[in-house]
Amino acid sequence: MSLSKNGKVVIFCLILAVIIAVVPLLFIHDSEFGGADGEAEEVITAINPNYHAWAQPLLEPPGGETESLLFCLQAATGSGLFFFGMGYLVARKKFQKKEKQE
């Protein structure tokens, strides 16, 4: 199976994106940014000292900046899939119109 030049560029960009996303996770350990979850936990504990969480996180990132990075990746993936789908629908509509004209 031989890939076209565009296919090779796409695969290279995907690999580069994965590297850019994963490498910071290896080097960020103790960051100071806690996010809204930590603040909410402090407020709830102040209101009710006997409260204990009924769910635990499946993955505990090494620091707050890592959580922020993962949130950004989640948002980027979601928007990428959404706009890919929108582009696909628009292109399909244009292609169908072109076929009807021929």
Side-chain angles (χ1 to χ4, degrees):
M1 177 175 118
S2 66
L3 291 174
S4 67
K5 183 178 179 183
N6 287 340
K8 291 178 184 177
V9 169
V10 168
I11 290 175
F12 174 76
C13 288
L14 288 173
I15 292 171
L16 183 63
V18 169
I19 290 171
I20 289 172
V22 172
V23 168
L25 293 174
L26 302 174
F27 294 106
I28 299 174
H29 294 290
D30 294 320
S31 58
E32 306 238 351
F33 179 73
D37 293 341
E39 295 294 322
E41 184 178 353
E42 289 176 13
V43 171
I44 291 170
T45 305
I47 294 171
N48 182 3
N50 297 326
Y51 175 80
H52 59 68
W54 54 273
Q56 297 297 322
L58 298 175
L59 171 69
E60 190 69 36
E65 288 299 322
T66 306
E67 290 177 22
S68 180
L69 172 67
L70 293 174
F71 178 77
C72 290
L73 287 173
Q74 179 184 3
T77 302
S79 64
L81 289 173
F82 175 77
F83 288 111
F84 174 80
M86 294 297 291
Y88 175 79
L89 294 175
V90 169
R92 184 177 70 173
K93 187 176 180 181
K94 286 181 182 180
F95 184 71
Q96 287 174 347
K97 280 184 182 180
K98 188 176 179 181
E99 276 189 344
K100 286 181 184 178
Q101 290 176 354
E102 291 176 356

